[in-house]
Amino acid sequence: SSELTQDPAVSVALGQTVSITCRGDSLRTYYANWYQQKPGQAPVLVIYGKNNRPSGIPDRFSGSSSGNIASLTITGAQAEDEADFYCNSRDNSGNHWVFGGGTKLTVL
Amino acid sequence: QVTLKESGPVLVKPTETLTLTCSVSGFSLSNARMGVSWIRQPPGKALEWLAHIFSNDEKSYSTSLKSRVTISRDTSKSQVVLKMTNMDPVDTATYYCARMTIWGSYRPFDAFDIWGQGTVLTVSS
C-alpha cells in the first residue's frame, strides 16, 4: 500500500508530551516529513528527514521512526501548537508523494 | 526570500478546464535540488498531492488524476502551471503549490519546505 495512516485526533495537557504517529509501508524506505496547519493557513514544515527542524521551528518538536511507523513528538506542548498535523513521504514506487489523513491536536 | 504564489479563477463550471499558475521567487526552477508540486485540500479534508515538476522538466502525476492533470513550467517567467480538465464539484478545494527541496547525497531525502498561501477554487454551475 502507498497510503499513510494517522489517528484522526489526539489531545494533550498543556506542558505535557504528546506523540503523533504515521503508519505506512513506504516509511520502511523513505523518511516521513511533518507539517503543521493552523485554520485558514497553509501547511508549515516542522520536521523533515530523519529528525531535522527548519529554521524557526521550536526544539520541542522532534521526529523519529521505527519500521513502518514514524512519530512526531512535542515535548512540553504549548497552546499555540494546537493545529492539524500531516505526515508525508514518497510512495512505495518512489515516484509519487503521499500525505496522511491528518491528526487534529488539541491542547487542553 | 523564497516565495510561491498561486493565481487562478475562484470559480469554474463543471466540465471546464482549470488553469492555475504558481509564481515563484527567491530560487530557480532549474536548481537540481528543487522542484515544485501542486497539492490540494478540499474543505475540511486532508492534503492530496497532485503533480510535480522536477528541475530537469520531468513530471510526475498522481495515479488517480493522471488522465486529467498536466503540469508545465516557464523558467523565464519563474512560473509553474497546472491544468486540470473536466472539472467536477468534488474538485472544489484550496490548491497549493509548494517547493520540494532535496537534501543529502548517500541517502537523499526531500520535503515540501516552502508553500504558497493557496488559492480557493469552487466548482459549481
Side-chain angles (χ1 to χ4, degrees), chain A residues 6-7 20 34-37 44 46 61 72 74 80-87 100-105:
Chain A
Q6 298 181 240
D7 292 329
I20 298 170
W34 292 92
Y35 305 84
Q36 178 187 48
Q37 186 181 35
V44 173
V46 294
F61 290 89
L72 171 71
I74 307 174
E80 61 263 33
D81 298 336
E82 189 163 286
D84 292 328
F85 288 86
Y86 292 92
C87 61
T103 297
K104 183 177 182 59
L105 175 67

Side-chain angles (χ1 to χ4, degrees), chain B:
Chain B
Q1 182 187 5
V2 175
T3 64
L4 298 92
K5 187 172 184 178
E6 306 87 350
S7 59
V10 176
L11 177 68
V12 298
K13 293 181 169 55
T15 76
E16 289 185 340
T17 294
L18 170 70
T19 300
L20 295 175
T21 300
C22 176
S23 300
V24 312
S25 65
F27 73 99
S28 170
L29 295 175
S30 300
N31 187 314
R33 287 197 165 261
M34 294 173 183
V36 174
S37 271
W38 283 95
I39 296 154
R40 71 179 179 181
Q41 184 173 38
K45 295 188 177 181
L47 300 167
E48 178 186 16
W49 174 78
L50 304 178
H52 183 83
I53 191 161
F54 293 86
S55 60
N56 61 1
D57 205 30
E58 287 191 13
K59 291 99 172 177
S60 180
Y61 296 100
S62 164
T63 302
S64 62
L65 291 168
K66 187 173 184 177
S67 63
R68 299 175 53 209
V69 171
T70 303
I71 192 170
S72 62
R73 70 180 185 178
D74 185 332
T75 54
S76 66
K77 294 182 179 179
S78 294
Q79 292 180 337
V80 175
V81 175
L82 181 80
K83 291 185 184 293
M84 186 179 294
T85 61
N86 195 25
M87 295 296 286
D88 183 272
V90 300
D91 297 314
T92 293
T94 298
Y95 285 75
Y96 297 99
C97 59
R99 184 181 78 171
M100 185 207 72
T101 296
I102 302 170
W103 293 272
S105 52
Y106 174 68
R107 183 184 174 185
F109 54 97
D110 54 56
F112 300 111
D113 63 337
I114 307 292
W115 294 62
Q117 63 190 18
T119 184
V120 178
L121 174 75
T122 300
V123 182
S124 175
S125 55

